[in-house]
Each structure stands twice: as structure tokens, then as C-alpha cells.
Amino acid sequence: YDFSRISEKSEFTQNRKSIFFLVFKRHGAVVSDTQFFSELTQSINEYCNNANLHLQIKYVSEQDNYEQLIRELQFNNCKGIILLGTEISQTELTHFVNSRIPLVVLDTYYNSIPCNYVKINNHQGVQQATTELIRKFENHIGYLSSSFSIVNYEERSNSFYHTVKSH
């Protein structure tokens, strides 16, 4: 067998458009290999297969060279990025937005960065849950927080305390 062909792109891969699912991990304590993230990845992969797109999954951290990563994506026929941005900062996200590769960011939102986002409504969810807990348990509720600082946690905390104060 001629193993030198392994490093070459096959005709199938060359002609098939790639979507990259980038999982940004700062400390890995928030974004980890849980059932939720496994099902999310599986769903994205199934959609890509049905659309004749090749899904490539890559883990990214704050230590990575973003310019080099973006060049690698462009070299690998990247037609779009789905970025799991739970732990990403505004500065880090800017590199991907400036790449000009079509981008959708999951699980975070920065008002100052124009981009396509898909994010849970932390305020509404926590407000509804807190209101129900107050109804059931009156003033005997509490809030457990994480030692990790991410936008979603800050939004949830703010919504909890705002809802408690308004009751």
C-alpha cells in the first residue's frame, strides 16, 4: 500500500465543502464532554451529512494562534464555522468574525460584535424558574453560583437577584 497518499486530499474531500464545529475551551470546566454536547455534536453532524457537507470538529483554546488556525480552515475548504462560544471572550471572538468565513456562534452573545448568534434566553428562563420557586417556597430559596466567570452565569445571577428583589 502506498502510504504517501494518506497526506493528500482525496478527490472526495477536495470537492466536498467542510463545515468546522469549533469548541472553544478556556478551562474546560463549563464546556465538557457531557450528554448535551454529545447530542449537539451528533445533531450537527447528521445535518451536515444530509446536506453533503463534511463536518470537522476542532477544539480551540485561548493559547491557540488564531491567525494560523484561520489559514488552516481556509486551506481545508472551510465554507462555514459553527463556534461553541460558551467560554469565549469578545477579543477572541473578534478574530473569527474578522476571518470573513461565514460564522454562527452558539451559547454566547456580545451586543458590540455583529454576528449570527444562537443563544438561550437566560433572563427569561431564570425569571420564570425563580418566580415559581418563590411561589412554592416563599422566601426560602437561594442561588448557587460557579467560581468560573462566563457571560451566561452572570446573566443568570443578575436575573435571579433582580427577580427576587421585585417580589
Side-chain angles (χ1 to χ4, degrees), residues 125-141:
V126 171
Q127 183 182 36
Q128 290 173 347
T130 303
T131 300
E132 182 64 16
L133 288 170
I134 290 170
R135 188 186 69 73
K136 284 187 174 184
F137 302 106
E138 298 177 11
N139 292 328
H140 304 290
I141 65 170

Side-chain angles (χ1 to χ4, degrees), residues 21 23-41 59 84 86-87 107 148 153:
F21 181 39
V23 179
F24 189 92
K25 285 187 166 187
R26 178 170 313 287
H27 34 66
V30 178
V31 175
S32 59
D33 295 325
T34 63
Q35 184 176 354
F36 171 77
F37 291 112
S38 296
E39 288 181 20
L40 176 64
T41 304
Y59 290 87
L84 182 58
T86 307
E87 300 179 9
D107 204 35
F148 297 103
Y153 292 169

